[in-house]
Amino acid sequence: MQHDNRQEQPLWAPSAQAAAASNMMAFIGLVKERHGLSLASYDALHGWSVANPGLFWDAVWDFTGVIGDKGARILTGAEKMPGAGFFPDARLNFAENLLRGEGSEIALHFNNEGERREPITRATLRRDVARFASVLKSWGVKEGDRVAAFMPNCPETIIAMLAAASIGAVFSSCSPDFGAKGVLDRFGQIAPKVLVACDGYRYAGKVLSAHDRLAEIVAGLPGLEHVAVVPFIGEGPKGLAKAHDWNALLAAAPEGELSFARLPFAHPLYIMYSSGTTGIPKCIVHSAGGTLLQHLKEHRLHCDLKPGETLFYFTTCGWMMWNWLVSGLAAGATLALYDGSPFHPSARVLFDYIGAVKIGVFGTSAKFIDAVKKSGLKPRETHDLASMRMILSTGSPLVPESFDFVYEDIKNDVALCSISGGTDIISCFVLGSPLLPVWRGEIQAKGLGMAVEVWDDEGRPVTGEKGELVCTRPFPSMPIGFWNDADGAKYRAAYFERFPGVWCHGDFAEITPHGGIVIHGRSDATLNPGGVRIGTAEIYAQVEQLPEVQEALAIGQDWQGDVRVVLFVVMREGHALDEAMERRIRERIRSGASPRHVPAKIVAVADIPRTKSGKITELAVRDIVHGREVKNREALANPEALALYRDLPELQS
């Protein structure tokens, strides 16, 4: 395919046979059987799903085989947002739906920087969940109590979550790279009764003990009654207060039948945390039914997951993609878990994993794809990727050049699905479809049942223009509220203040002529030089294609009654930001984006601050540049990087 016709032709399209055999086509068949509708395209199915939410979600429940009592009513208060009620008479248990099947099929693989454990079967997973559930019950854990985890992405974390969910307890997790204050900023708000924690973890070949931080965390949670310590690095509890050894707990637990508390659809399942640096994290509460149904829809219909297929996502337990990944069990998938650096012992490690356990759906971040490209690795030439039929990418916008790299140097016959949503909805607003082609630089589709539009500042829907990504109708995975927000004021202010009665997500987006979506960055990080809104992702898409530039971050600096664009760059080893390089950067941005995108100032820095989930933090840098305090440094993986941006002489003139 020549470069000049990439915009006229899709990069990939499903075969007619694959589309016909997809779960989505089977779902269209169910809709036809029930309602006499012949929905001939994805657009027609999406239009029907948002116009008839009660009928659509009822069909999703039945098609995906939700275990539970559905009840008579599907949707009440459909015009209320927030306030709609999905399946108000239903009773179900989240863990029961994930633990379907008790045989020798593999449930979990685990890989820790290239070292793989023995796979865990569905029968073994169910047995260990039963054992830890009996431990939790013996400790007095009941419906609504909080069980928190300070853990790597390993099988024990999933066992703990499922055991808590089987009882009706509420689960919340952080990854072990969090500092003690970051953990306490989160768990301190929700007062867990039980903490499941690792003694340490491995990253980039180093063994890192968590014991000192764990002691500080336990001391800072006065309502905590028990700590189950997983000996991940072999240290164990080491005299920690209230602590028990995980292995000893499971070994001593009585063998018994696992029971499931069937609870209302809206019963709380997870507490997630906003990752912003503007204050103490918001505690976002998600329901068991809403999470389950939305994830089943996304896995079974959008990802076309089939029983026995292997699903992978590179994530930590501090990111919502962990929760999304784990739900793959409900679709009958095998999960491939990974913990540690995705580049240790080399950039090959995750591609080795694909071939070793036959991963079908491979999920990662846009930054990982860019880093593999810059490493010079061409997995298509070096690895067995025959099993992989879909690549998912999220975390930040996937630039058009990364689409090219995937098809040229990873695999040419693969569905590349950029996806976007967030912690706020524990799912996606826009994602892939097995019925649609992949266009360069575009997310394929709006999610089924998600009434997604892009609005201008006056609240008018626009196509081919940038604006706010909104959702105009209720959906099941909306939060049931924020923790300690009894009147719902903080919840409403977070999503419904900009456009009353409409979910405003905070993404700066655009709907393309193909019906695809491009995300241009977060709305609160958009730049406004001369009063024109510019998405930071549009700048990164240009400058990060230069081989000399490792990474970039752009902010708007208040300057002489206007805003000027400031670009910070981390140069690759052996390269410097000199006048010639500055000219190249400006010319690349001018020709690839527009003259308005060209930065007034370009400054070289040694590091870029990022959140624990790997997202760069424009807002924190903007605050530092303007002399404002960054209130929640514990949300950052590398808060020391902020000092690089304070009182820079280059920004004083």
Side-chain angles (χ1 to χ4, degrees):
M1 193 181 292
Q2 297 299 309
H3 188 87
D4 59 1
N5 72 351
R6 277 177 171 154
Q7 300 303 332
E8 286 75 48
Q9 297 293 326
L11 295 173
W12 176 89
S15 69
Q17 296 91 330
S22 68
N23 290 332
M24 196 170 278
M25 282 304 297
F27 182 76
I28 287 174
L30 173 69
V31 174
K32 182 176 183 179
E33 184 182 309
R34 286 190 172 185
H35 305 293
L37 297 171
S38 292
L39 301 170
S41 66
Y42 182 82
D43 283 351
L45 176 60
H46 180 267
W48 176 80
S49 74
V50 297
N52 303 277
L55 298 179
F56 169 72
W57 291 108
D58 182 40
V60 171
W61 177 298
D62 293 343
F63 182 82
T64 59
V66 173
I67 300 169
D69 304 311
K70 185 167 60 174
R73 295 179 297 167
I74 307 302
L75 176 59
T76 59
E79 72 291 344
K80 295 179 183 172
M81 195 172 184
F86 285 88
F87 299 93
D89 309 317
R91 309 285 292 188
L92 58 81
N93 185 276
F94 184 80
E96 185 176 12
N97 279 273
L98 270 64
L99 288 168
R100 54 182 91 195
E102 302 181 46
S104 59
E105 302 91 358
I106 294 173
L108 307 174
H109 293 286
F110 178 56
N111 184 334
N112 189 194
E113 296 195 333
E115 293 182 21
R116 297 208 313 275
R117 278 194 209 167
E118 278 294 309
I120 293 175
T121 65
R122 288 221 164 224
T124 302
L125 177 62
R126 192 178 179 97
R127 180 201 70 195
D128 286 350
V129 170
R131 287 176 172 174
F132 194 60
S134 71
V135 170
L136 293 177
K137 288 175 183 174
S138 74
W139 288 345
V141 175
K142 58 188 185 303
E143 292 173 16
D145 285 342
R146 274 76 62 210
V147 174
F150 176 67
M151 286 287 289
N153 178 20
C154 62
E156 290 87 348
T157 317
I158 293 178
I159 291 164
M161 182 278 288
L162 291 170
S166 73
I167 298 167
V170 187
F171 186 81
S172 191
S173 59
C174 290
S175 55
D177 56 343
F178 275 65
K181 185 176 185 301
V183 176
L184 291 171
D185 280 350
R186 289 158 174 78
F187 295 166
Q189 296 186 68
I190 66 169
K193 182 179 278 190
V194 172
L195 176 67
V196 179
C198 60
D199 55 356
Y201 63 105
R202 297 176 183 86
Y203 195 85
K206 297 176 183 172
V207 177
L208 303 160
S209 175
H211 197 270
D212 290 347
R213 279 177 298 141
L214 192 49
E216 191 178 339
I217 291 163
V218 171
L221 295 172
L224 192 65
E225 295 179 9
H226 296 278
V227 185
V229 178
V230 175
F232 196 76
I233 62 170
E235 289 185 358
K238 274 178 54 176
L240 184 73
K242 306 173 184 175
H244 315 261
D245 179 87
W246 171 274
N247 293 335
L249 285 170
L250 262 61
E255 292 285 347
E257 182 58 33
L258 181 58
S259 61
F260 301 101
R262 290 208 177 167
L263 299 158
F265 188 88
H267 184 77
L269 169 72
Y270 289 134
I271 298 175
M272 312 289 290
Y273 305 96
S274 61
S275 60
T277 53
T278 54
I280 194 162
K282 298 188 293 286
C283 301
I284 304 166
V285 186
H286 286 292
S287 71
T291 301
L292 175 69
L293 203 61
Q294 184 81 306
H295 288 180
L296 276 168
K297 179 203 77 177
E298 293 182 351
H299 290 149
R300 291 281 306 279
L301 300 183
H302 290 277
C303 296
D304 200 32
L305 261 183
K306 307 280 174 61
E309 191 169 22
T310 301
L311 171 66
F312 167 87
Y313 219 102
F314 179 76
T315 182
T316 71
C317 296
W319 191 24
M320 60 135 303
M321 292 313 299
W322 179 83
N323 309 74
W324 189 92
L325 168 66
V326 173
S327 292
L329 290 169
T334 296
L335 307 185
L337 311 179
Y338 184 91
D339 199 72
S341 167
F343 291 100
H344 188 86
S346 75
R348 299 171 57 100
V349 65
L350 295 186
F351 296 101
D352 292 343
Y353 200 16
I354 293 169
V357 301
K358 307 302 180 200
I359 290 168
V361 178
F362 178 86
T364 187
S365 65
K367 291 292 183 189
F368 173 81
I369 293 172
D370 186 54
V372 172
K373 178 185 174 187
K374 291 192 172 181
S375 77
L377 183 67
K378 297 185 177 184
R380 184 175 172 181
E381 299 174 1
T382 57
H383 285 78
D384 171 16
L385 305 178
S387 64
M388 183 176 66
R389 61 171 180 83
M390 180 177 283
I391 296 175
L392 304 175
S393 170
T394 193
S396 58
L398 188 65
V399 298
E401 290 79 6
S402 289
F403 280 74
D404 300 339
F405 171 68
V406 166
Y407 284 104
E408 290 165 8
D409 291 324
I410 297 182
K411 192 176 185 184
N412 61 359
D413 184 20
V414 69
L416 175 57
C417 302
S418 182
I419 66 178
S420 184
T423 298
D424 316 78
I425 64 167
I426 203 166
S427 59
C428 306
F429 278 122
V430 290
L431 67 172
S433 164
L435 307 184
L436 294 175
V438 173
W439 292 91
R440 185 173 185 260
E442 297 183 17
I443 298 172
Q444 283 176 291
K446 304 170 184 178
L448 293 176
M450 310 296 273
V452 173
E453 297 180 359
V454 172
W455 283 11
D456 64 15
D457 287 342
E458 281 70 52
R460 295 175 300 212
V462 293
T463 296
E465 295 178 30
K466 295 164 193 157
E468 293 285 347
L469 188 146
V470 302
C471 191
T472 62
R473 297 191 181 184
F475 50 94
S477 67
M478 291 169 61
I480 50 178
F482 291 171
W483 197 258
N484 294 328
D485 180 30
D487 62 357
K490 291 178 184 175
Y491 176 37
R492 289 191 299 276
Y495 310 113
F496 303 102
E497 212 165 59
R498 177 81 191 274
F499 302 114
V502 169
W503 180 289
C504 185
H505 194 55
D507 276 346
F508 195 45
E510 179 181 355
I511 295 173
T512 73
H514 305 123
I517 299 94
V518 177
I519 306 290
H520 293 288
R522 293 292 293 169
S523 300
D524 52 12
T526 53
L527 313 173
N528 291 278
V532 177
R533 294 182 81 190
I534 291 172
T536 53
E538 300 167 84
I539 295 175
Y540 306 149
Q542 301 306 318
V543 71
E544 290 182 4
Q545 299 313 309
L546 296 168
E548 299 89 344
V549 177
Q550 182 174 312
E551 200 170 17
L553 181 147
I555 65 161
Q557 182 191 13
D558 297 338
W559 189 254
Q560 296 180 348
D562 196 359
V563 174
R564 66 179 180 182
V565 178
V566 177
L567 178 68
F568 299 98
V569 292
V570 177
M571 303 301 294
R572 296 191 77 183
E573 194 172 343
H575 298 278
L577 181 68
D578 54 19
E579 286 186 18
M581 192 68 225
E582 284 201 36
R583 280 197 301 274
R584 281 191 64 202
I585 291 172
R586 287 194 167 94
E587 182 50 41
R588 175 72 193 227
I589 294 170
R590 181 178 287 108
S591 61
S594 81
R596 288 190 177 276
H597 291 75
V598 176
K601 295 281 184 176
I602 305 177
V603 182
V605 288
D607 197 8
I608 285 176
R610 61 190 68 252
T611 66
K612 299 289 187 181
S613 59
K615 297 177 184 177
I616 63 173
T617 56
E618 293 113 328
L619 298 186
V621 170
R622 193 171 73 191
D623 283 344
I624 289 289
V625 164
H626 288 99
R628 298 189 289 266
E629 179 191 358
V630 176
K631 295 177 183 173
N632 185 21
R633 290 169 176 263
E634 289 295 327
L636 298 178
N638 56 337
E640 66 282 355
L642 290 174
L644 302 171
Y645 299 82
R646 181 174 283 111
D647 301 327
L648 290 172
E650 298 96 324
L651 301 187
Q652 308 307 311
S653 62

